Amino acid sequence: MFLFVHFTKVMINGGHLNLGNIPIMLQLTASFKPKDCVKTPIKVIFKPMSTIETQVVIVGAGISGLKAASDLHKGGCNSCVVLEGRDRIGGRLHTVEGYQGRKYDMGASWHHDTLVNGLFEEELGLPLEQRAGFVFDDDEMIMFDKDHKRLDMDPNMVLEILQGELLKFIELQFFESLEVKDRSYYEMIVKYLYQRRDLLTDDQIKYLPQVCRYLELWHGCDWKTLSSKFLEIAHQGRNAMVLHYSTIVKRVASTIPEEWIQLKSEVTEIKRCQNKVHVKTNKNKIYICDYVVVTVPQSVIELSLHPEYRRGRIEFIPPLGPEIRNAFTKTHYSALGKVVFEFENCCWSKERARILSLGKSSTDFTNDVRNAQSYESLLATLQNKTQYHLENGQLWEFPLYFVNLAKTTGVPSFVMLMQEPLTSYVESLQDKNKAYQFFQPILEGLLKTLGNSNPICVDFDNKNATSDQDIPVLKNLITTNWTREEFSLGAYSACFPGDDPMDLIIALTHNENSRIRYAGEHTIMDGAGCVYGAWESGKREAALILKNLQGL
Amino acid sequence: MFLFVHFTKVMINGGHLNLGNIPIMLQLTASFKPKDCVKTPIKVIFKPMSTIETQVVIVGAGISGLKAASDLHKGGCNSCVVLEGRDRIGGRLHTVEGYQGRKYDMGASWHHDTLVNGLFEEELGLPLEQRAGFVFDDDEMIMFDKDHKRLDMDPNMVLEILQGELLKFIELQFFESLEVKDRSYYEMIVKYLYQRRDLLTDDQIKYLPQVCRYLELWHGCDWKTLSSKFLEIAHQGRNAMVLHYSTIVKRVASTIPEEWIQLKSEVTEIKRCQNKVHVKTNKNKIYICDYVVVTVPQSVIELSLHPEYRRGRIEFIPPLGPEIRNAFTKTHYSALGKVVFEFENCCWSKERARILSLGKSSTDFTNDVRNAQSYESLLATLQNKTQYHLENGQLWEFPLYFVNLAKTTGVPSFVMLMQEPLTSYVESLQDKNKAYQFFQPILEGLLKTLGNSNPICVDFDNKNATSDQDIPVLKNLITTNWTREEFSLGAYSACFPGDDPMDLIIALTHNENSRIRYAGEHTIMDGAGCVYGAWESGKREAALILKNLQGL
């Protein structure tokens, strides 16, 4: 191990000051601001950079990074470091404790595709005491709307069946030719309604669009930003809610030498130097390695395409190539958010696990569809009528998905899923009471739908406001913060109209000789956006590196 | 036009007597029997054969033949004849009248795949008074079993969701490689249950298999004869029940010159003679044509592969080639049958249109699955326990599908769909009372499930047995006869384990220069087994012949 010092780039938000490659570390005084960057005196502190040689650096201790490290260790690699910016491992797997120690996964919380899910299979192969628990929680979804009307399984409207037909309608559009223009899910729904209006009842036209928006809660973004071409979710088996992912994170981490994992180590630069890669951190360390596996979220990689400094950003030297740059024009990032509502006890129906609160439906909408002269004119008519006005508390513009934990785990809480742009808004509130006020009408509608019409009693301060077992007493509310955290900036990759998710996957993985490697949910087709996909991608990169290291 | 006489083969059931090519027609006396064929005197009647020249002969006046004739006429062909063995047009589209003139389609009765169904689209383009009516009748299916237990939408068993997972499980088996052996649907269900038993509850293992058997009512054969590889039905849009297909048959037929259609004309021979085809009928006519379009069902073509005489059989000269012969080893024919139960008035719930009566589930079965040491040993254990014993009235071995017309059309009748081997058995009964006795337990279970527990009062003789509006009075029962009719011999093409339906389609259609052409539901991929598929195949052949005739 040897030491050296050198100048580096000083990057500040909104512009940067390049001091060349002179061996000095800079620390900026608090008074330093972009606008007066020339006049302000800069306090220069010389700090020694320590360099460390290692075979592999893994950037990020999420499930893909941990799995890669685990497999590298098992495969005989004895020199690896996992650099994690946060003060915890797990990344977007994050189990938190709430009221009375109840646990919730605020990030991913299901095993999806359980017929093909390698992580799920691995879990099944473990002794019971080593496994994370899980519960299959798919069942038929309850749907209610602002008027507290039940809309699921209505034998006359058959909205579930129409939704299936609509998705097939969309799929068939793109079968016609490869050149068919991708439109938003919203536009495609309007197209279906317009073209098939003679085969639909007024009520079907009214309610179907809001029912279809259920998919927003899979993709984490709203129907207007969602690609209709890459909309379909082909489930490969049931979904099992994990209890809880922290167990799996800990289990995988336990197979890695403890000293490999460095928390609060933010990678700031990744630089190719001949046959080596230099990975620099905020702790004045430079890791000189044969391979680096970058597992930071797609949203964080994207920061590297722009010169502006932001915490979490990695400076790539040389910069990311045109293939990756172009691929980023064909992919986006969404933000599935969650709010957990914790009640004192369960005073509602435990019959069903899944409840969808629908966005407001309107008869106006039906009339617009009926009277439209053309599809395009209908789109124009609807344009203004389907805007969001969040600041006015127009919450009923969004479908929201509730998991009734009382049924599946016996815990008297609801986990609510929400989508962009709602997630950013709610996560920005940063206040339990404000968040509760925002969701109160829907929460009351939910409880009423589940058979309890009593008003909610809020008791965040734990004053035990009532002893009536039939009064729903809300003890706590937990909100995610993914859109505001520098190391996530949202939830996972998503397709906007015109995107093609394959481009980025190919760009990040096709060169098997590259020493800068990528893993994570955004780097794999099978299991894209899923925990097991991320896990498989870590497995993939470890296998490739082990193979290559043997050749060195 | 000219006349000639010549000897022909005399074929009799169980053997044939070849008299060579001497110009004589034979009519056998009633006393003629195979065993004494040498000793018995044969009464020889000379009958003149009339020959008729025509551009096109269409064999069969089902929807594919009628559509072909219609398009040929529209396209300028002025010399065509449609030879139909039955005394009616429509083939397997057959609308009958029942009690008080109520109408039922005993053959096909739905527009399937209404997003891509060309016939449906054509209908939509017509003035209302020219269209056949239709009603979208998909809704969530009620399921009940022998114990009158409701099994649909059970939030704990979630059998519908498990069925989806099982179908995906089967699909994934065949993704593994092209060499995966096709097994029966039954064997694949057992495989799923065995492999996933740790993830299933006892009740799920008990009931799921019977729920999955619902697909038997699409394919017309039972789970043990059904291919698991070609099981999936990819619906392209909702299903619309047609009211009634006779309207469509008449409409298409009305576009054809009346004299083109020859009823009761059974084609007995199709012979290639240089550039012409000679088509011989039971009416001593030989049609000499440029093209023949054979639209008889797959089951009837199959008779031509064997020398035995059967009514409906066509002798091909030269015989059907090896490609077609081989293809017949890769395809089969099923028999979806129907029984219509006509009641005096509706005294049951009209809420749902579709009800499935399930085959008997057993706890024994669950135990066998739980205790099995291997998949193969489980199959062996179950072998005898899953046999049918129809003669003992073991009706609860089969799932049966009921359409509640009271909901969709207001007619107080149920249309029941059944599968082989049940169809053959029931169609052989040829007796209303016997059929009723056979189905009575299920019919009572059905009514009880729909809210009426009163015993059924049978009044086939129209004696008006009761005036109590709550007593279900069964006025009539109508059974299909497809398995016994010479010109159908069942319902439509089906895939048994190991089959590949593409082979026959390719064999029958790939040679665009052939003068012997084929149309019908068994000759087309898109819409295979469906009315619109048959209709499209007729369109296809007419277009091809018109193109070729222009070149003549």
Side-chain angles (χ1 to χ4, degrees):
Chain A
M1 200 184 290
F2 60 99
L3 301 172
F4 71 100
V5 278
H6 68 91
F7 267 115
T8 186
K9 278 185 185 176
V10 178
M11 283 165 300
I12 52 174
N13 206 0
H16 71 273
L17 173 66
N18 196 340
L19 296 181
N21 200 17
I22 308 164
I24 271 177
M25 273 296 287
L26 300 174
Q27 202 172 62
L28 305 179
T29 63
S31 66
F32 182 86
K33 289 198 188 86
K35 278 187 184 165
D36 44 20
C37 81
V38 177
K39 292 177 193 163
T40 311
I42 295 173
K43 187 175 163 196
V44 177
I45 300 167
F46 287 83
K47 269 205 174 178
M49 296 291 289
S50 67
T51 68
I52 302 146
E53 289 192 25
T54 183
Q55 283 187 309
V56 184
V57 169
I58 293 167
V59 186
I63 191 72
S64 65
L66 294 174
K67 176 62 179 167
S70 172
D71 279 15
L72 284 169
H73 179 65
K74 202 168 64 187
C77 168
N78 46 32
S79 168
C80 171
V81 64
V82 183
L83 303 174
E84 169 55 53
R86 292 190 172 96
D87 60 356
R88 60 169 182 84
I89 60 170
R92 285 165 283 167
L93 297 185
H94 188 36
T95 309
V96 303
E97 284 200 7
Y99 179 63
Q100 294 178 330
R102 299 176 193 172
K103 287 184 177 176
Y104 308 97
D105 279 300
M106 301 307 286
S109 53
W110 279 274
H111 288 302
H112 294 300
D113 302 333
T114 53
L115 287 174
V116 297
N117 182 323
L119 176 57
F120 179 65
E121 265 170 52
E122 182 177 87
E123 284 274 304
L124 290 183
L126 297 172
L128 266 179
E129 65 277 11
Q130 288 176 31
R131 282 188 209 172
F134 62 86
V135 53
F136 288 109
D137 68 342
D138 291 330
D139 69 4
E140 304 301 333
M141 201 163 55
I142 288 178
M143 299 191 288
F144 72 96
D145 77 348
K146 195 180 177 183
D147 309 324
H148 302 166
K149 185 179 160 92
R150 275 286 288 273
L151 291 154
D152 52 299
M153 297 296 157
D154 183 294
N156 295 310
M157 287 198 283
V158 293
L159 295 168
E160 289 89 349
I161 285 165
L162 282 182
Q163 189 186 9
E165 178 169 276
L166 182 136
L167 290 176
K168 182 57 80 172
F169 173 87
I170 293 174
E171 192 187 323
L172 289 169
Q173 306 285 313
F174 297 104
F175 276 0
E176 282 176 15
S177 97
L178 280 174
E179 272 64 53
V180 175
K181 189 190 159 203
D182 190 10
R183 310 193 74 139
S184 72
Y185 187 32
Y186 161 76
E187 287 177 327
M188 225 34 129
I189 290 173
V190 173
K191 187 172 184 182
Y192 169 85
L193 295 173
Y194 175 73
Q195 287 193 3
R196 311 287 288 180
R197 60 188 175 179
D198 292 344
L199 305 174
L200 299 168
T201 66
D202 284 353
D203 272 352
Q204 288 175 329
I205 293 174
K206 179 177 175 184
Y207 291 111
L208 181 63
Q210 299 304 324
V211 170
C212 290
R213 292 183 66 187
Y214 161 60
L215 287 181
E216 295 183 10
L217 282 326
W218 277 91
H219 294 282
C221 51
D222 83 315
W223 59 348
K224 289 194 171 181
T225 46
L226 202 50
S227 157
S228 57
K229 191 171 184 175
F230 294 101
L231 182 74
E232 206 205 340
I233 298 162
H235 297 290
Q236 317 278 308
R238 285 180 287 165
N239 303 294
M241 193 167 60
V242 183
L243 308 166
H244 291 274
Y245 262 122
S246 53
T247 305
I248 294 178
V249 169
K250 275 182 212 148
R251 173 174 69 75
V252 178
S254 73
T255 63
I256 305 167
E258 227 171 273
E259 65 278 13
W260 282 19
I261 301 176
Q262 306 289 325
L263 297 180
K264 297 188 197 169
S265 293
E266 304 177 18
V267 170
T268 55
E269 186 183 287
I270 294 176
K271 186 176 172 184
R272 277 297 310 267
C273 297
Q274 281 115 32
N275 282 333
K276 296 287 179 182
V277 185
H278 293 197
V279 179
K280 196 185 291 180
T281 73
N282 63 334
K283 289 181 168 174
N284 302 329
K285 287 188 180 156
I286 296 180
Y287 294 87
I288 300 176
C289 59
D290 297 314
Y291 289 96
V292 60
V293 186
V294 181
T295 76
V296 302
Q298 179 183 308
S299 52
V300 175
I301 301 181
E302 193 169 8
L303 298 179
S304 304
L305 302 182
H306 312 290
E308 293 79 14
Y309 170 78
R310 282 188 62 168
R311 191 172 168 209
R313 181 184 183 279
I314 299 168
E315 174 79 5
F316 284 86
I317 303 172
L320 295 173
E323 197 185 359
I324 293 176
R325 267 176 194 279
N326 287 338
F328 267 101
T329 65
K330 294 277 192 181
T331 190
H332 286 83
Y333 206 69
S334 70
L336 191 85
K338 288 183 184 173
V339 180
V340 181
F341 300 97
E342 300 192 276
F343 287 88
E344 180 67 42
N345 60 285
C346 176
C347 48
W348 58 82
S349 167
K350 296 185 199 182
E351 198 187 329
R352 302 287 195 89
R354 307 160 69 228
I355 304 104
L356 187 70
S357 146
L358 294 176
K360 196 178 55 196
S361 303
S362 100
T363 307
D364 252 21
F365 179 87
T366 309
N367 293 336
D368 287 339
V369 171
R370 285 262 181 256
N371 302 328
Q373 297 298 309
S374 73
Y375 167 49
E376 297 298 337
S377 74
L378 176 58
L379 279 180
T381 305
L382 296 174
Q383 184 58 33
N384 289 323
K385 300 186 180 177
T386 55
Q387 302 289 326
Y388 305 126
H389 305 279
L390 280 172
E391 61 289 355
N392 303 340
Q394 292 203 3
L395 181 60
W396 291 99
E397 300 289 344
F398 292 93
L400 295 167
Y401 178 83
F402 292 86
V403 180
N404 185 2
L405 289 183
K407 173 179 177 183
T408 48
T409 68
V411 172
S413 303
F414 294 99
V415 177
M416 190 202 79
L417 274 58
M418 60 190 166
Q419 67 283 64
E420 278 289 79
L422 189 59
T423 303
S424 287
Y425 176 75
V426 173
E427 291 187 357
S428 75
L429 294 177
Q430 297 280 313
D431 181 303
K432 266 185 214 187
N433 288 295
K434 277 188 198 162
Y436 171 68
Q437 277 160 29
F438 188 73
F439 288 111
Q440 182 186 3
I442 282 195
L443 204 55
E444 285 179 353
L446 172 70
L447 287 169
K448 192 171 169 190
T449 301
L450 296 181
N452 192 328
S453 298
N454 291 320
I456 295 167
C457 168
V458 178
D459 187 30
F460 291 160
D461 303 330
N462 210 13
K463 292 182 177 156
N464 295 313
T466 173
S467 59
D468 184 341
Q469 293 287 306
D470 288 336
I471 301 288
V473 180
L474 186 67
K475 302 298 288 191
N476 190 26
L477 180 153
I478 311 170
T479 307
T480 49
N481 201 31
W482 300 111
T483 54
R484 297 164 62 86
E485 284 189 27
E486 289 88 349
F487 304 111
S488 52
L489 300 173
Y492 42 58
S493 45
C495 290
F496 288 13
D499 282 359
D500 188 337
M502 274 305 289
D503 287 8
L504 185 64
I505 295 172
I506 292 170
L508 294 179
T509 63
H510 78 108
N511 180 4
E512 294 213 341
N513 297 314
S514 174
R515 290 176 176 277
I516 300 175
R517 313 219 49 84
Y518 297 90
E521 53 86 15
H522 56 292
T523 70
I524 193 161
M525 274 306 289
D526 292 338
C530 293
V531 179
Y532 81 94
W535 180 84
E536 290 281 359
S537 74
K539 203 166 142 183
R540 173 192 72 205
E541 294 306 324
L544 196 135
I545 290 169
L546 284 169
K547 198 187 75 181
N548 290 356
L549 285 177
Q550 281 181 337
L552 287 183
Chain B
M1 200 186 293
F2 59 98
L3 302 172
F4 71 99
V5 278
H6 69 92
F7 265 116
T8 187
K9 279 184 184 177
V10 178
M11 284 168 298
I12 53 175
N13 206 0
H16 70 273
L17 173 68
N18 195 340
L19 297 180
N21 200 15
I22 308 164
I24 270 176
M25 272 295 286
L26 298 176
Q27 203 171 60
L28 305 179
T29 62
S31 65
F32 183 84
K33 289 198 189 88
K35 278 187 184 165
D36 44 22
C37 79
V38 177
K39 292 177 191 164
T40 312
I42 296 173
K43 187 177 166 193
V44 177
I45 300 166
F46 286 84
K47 268 203 174 179
M49 296 292 285
S50 67
T51 67
I52 303 146
E53 288 192 27
T54 182
Q55 281 187 310
V56 184
V57 169
I58 293 168
V59 185
I63 192 72
S64 65
L66 293 175
K67 177 61 178 167
S70 171
D71 279 15
L72 284 168
H73 180 64
K74 201 168 66 187
C77 168
N78 46 30
S79 167
C80 171
V81 64
V82 182
L83 303 174
E84 169 55 52
R86 292 190 173 95
D87 60 356
R88 62 169 180 84
I89 59 171
R92 284 165 286 166
L93 298 185
H94 188 36
T95 310
V96 303
E97 284 200 9
Y99 180 63
Q100 293 177 330
R102 298 176 193 171
K103 286 184 179 178
Y104 308 98
D105 278 301
M106 300 307 284
S109 53
W110 279 273
H111 288 301
H112 295 299
D113 302 333
T114 53
L115 287 174
V116 297
N117 182 324
L119 177 58
F120 180 64
E121 264 170 53
E122 182 177 87
E123 284 275 305
L124 290 183
L126 297 172
L128 266 178
E129 66 277 10
Q130 288 176 31
R131 282 189 210 173
F134 62 87
V135 53
F136 287 109
D137 67 343
D138 291 330
D139 69 4
E140 305 300 334
M141 201 162 57
I142 288 179
M143 299 191 288
F144 72 97
D145 77 348
K146 194 180 178 183
D147 308 325
H148 302 167
K149 186 179 159 90
R150 274 287 288 272
L151 291 154
D152 53 299
M153 297 295 155
D154 183 293
N156 295 310
M157 288 198 282
V158 293
L159 296 167
E160 289 89 349
I161 285 164
L162 282 182
Q163 189 187 9
E165 178 168 276
L166 182 137
L167 290 176
K168 183 57 79 171
F169 173 87
I170 292 174
E171 193 187 323
L172 290 169
Q173 305 285 312
F174 296 104
F175 276 1
E176 283 176 15
S177 97
L178 280 173
E179 272 65 53
V180 175
K181 189 191 159 201
D182 189 10
R183 308 193 76 138
S184 71
Y185 186 33
Y186 161 75
E187 288 178 327
M188 223 39 126
I189 290 173
V190 173
K191 187 173 184 181
Y192 169 86
L193 295 174
Y194 175 73
Q195 288 192 2
R196 311 288 288 182
R197 59 187 177 181
D198 291 344
L199 305 175
L200 299 168
T201 65
D202 284 354
D203 272 353
Q204 288 175 327
I205 294 175
K206 180 176 175 184
Y207 291 111
L208 180 63
Q210 298 305 324
V211 170
C212 290
R213 291 183 65 187
Y214 161 60
L215 286 182
E216 295 182 11
L217 282 328
W218 277 92
H219 293 283
C221 50
D222 83 316
W223 57 349
K224 289 194 169 182
T225 45
L226 202 51
S227 158
S228 58
K229 191 169 184 175
F230 294 102
L231 183 73
E232 206 205 339
I233 298 163
H235 298 291
Q236 318 278 308
R238 286 180 287 166
N239 303 293
M241 193 167 61
V242 183
L243 307 166
H244 292 274
Y245 262 122
S246 53
T247 305
I248 295 179
V249 169
K250 274 182 213 148
R251 173 173 68 75
V252 178
S254 73
T255 62
I256 305 168
E258 225 171 277
E259 65 279 11
W260 282 18
I261 301 175
Q262 306 288 325
L263 298 180
K264 297 189 198 170
S265 294
E266 304 178 19
V267 170
T268 55
E269 185 184 289
I270 295 176
K271 187 176 174 183
R272 279 297 310 266
C273 297
Q274 280 118 30
N275 281 334
K276 295 288 179 182
V277 185
H278 293 196
V279 179
K280 195 186 290 181
T281 72
N282 65 333
K283 289 181 167 173
N284 301 330
K285 287 187 180 156
I286 295 180
Y287 294 87
I288 299 176
C289 60
D290 296 315
Y291 289 96
V292 61
V293 186
V294 181
T295 75
V296 301
Q298 180 184 307
S299 52
V300 174
I301 301 180
E302 193 170 7
L303 298 179
S304 303
L305 303 181
H306 311 292
E308 293 79 15
Y309 171 76
R310 281 188 62 168
R311 192 170 167 209
R313 181 184 183 278
I314 299 168
E315 174 79 5
F316 284 87
I317 302 172
L320 296 174
E323 197 186 0
I324 293 176
R325 266 176 195 279
N326 287 338
F328 266 101
T329 66
K330 293 277 191 182
T331 190
H332 287 83
Y333 206 68
S334 70
L336 190 85
K338 289 183 182 172
V339 180
V340 181
F341 301 96
E342 300 192 277
F343 287 87
E344 179 69 42
N345 61 286
C346 177
C347 49
W348 58 82
S349 167
K350 296 185 199 182
E351 198 186 331
R352 303 288 194 87
R354 306 160 70 228
I355 305 105
L356 186 70
S357 146
L358 294 176
K360 194 177 58 198
S361 303
S362 103
T363 307
D364 252 20
F365 179 87
T366 308
N367 293 336
D368 287 339
V369 171
R370 285 263 181 252
N371 301 330
Q373 298 298 310
S374 73
Y375 167 49
E376 297 297 338
S377 74
L378 176 57
L379 279 180
T381 305
L382 296 175
Q383 185 57 34
N384 290 322
K385 301 185 178 176
T386 54
Q387 302 288 328
Y388 305 125
H389 305 279
L390 280 173
E391 61 290 354
N392 302 339
Q394 291 204 4
L395 181 58
W396 291 100
E397 300 290 343
F398 292 94
L400 295 168
Y401 178 83
F402 291 87
V403 180
N404 184 3
L405 289 183
K407 174 181 176 182
T408 48
T409 68
V411 172
S413 303
F414 293 100
V415 177
M416 190 202 80
L417 273 57
M418 60 189 167
Q419 68 283 63
E420 278 290 78
L422 190 59
T423 303
S424 287
Y425 176 75
V426 172
E427 291 186 356
S428 75
L429 293 178
Q430 296 280 312
D431 181 304
K432 267 185 213 186
N433 288 294
K434 277 189 196 162
Y436 171 68
Q437 276 160 30
F438 189 73
F439 287 110
Q440 182 185 2
I442 282 196
L443 204 56
E444 284 178 353
L446 171 71
L447 287 170
K448 193 171 168 190
T449 301
L450 296 182
N452 191 328
S453 298
N454 291 320
I456 294 167
C457 169
V458 179
D459 187 32
F460 290 161
D461 303 331
N462 209 12
K463 291 180 178 158
N464 295 314
T466 173
S467 60
D468 183 341
Q469 293 287 309
D470 288 336
I471 301 291
V473 180
L474 186 67
K475 301 299 286 190
N476 190 24
L477 181 154
I478 311 171
T479 307
T480 49
N481 202 32
W482 300 112
T483 55
R484 298 164 61 86
E485 283 189 27
E486 288 91 347
F487 303 112
S488 52
L489 300 171
Y492 43 56
S493 44
C495 288
F496 288 13
D499 283 359
D500 188 337
M502 274 305 290
D503 286 9
L504 185 65
I505 295 172
I506 292 170
L508 294 179
T509 62
H510 78 109
N511 179 4
E512 295 213 339
N513 296 315
S514 175
R515 289 176 176 278
I516 299 175
R517 312 218 51 83
Y518 297 89
E521 53 86 14
H522 56 293
T523 70
I524 193 161
M525 274 305 289
D526 291 339
C530 293
V531 179
Y532 81 94
W535 180 83
E536 290 282 358
S537 74
K539 204 166 141 182
R540 173 191 72 206
E541 294 306 325
L544 196 136
I545 290 170
L546 285 169
K547 197 186 76 180
N548 289 355
L549 285 177
Q550 282 180 335
L552 287 182

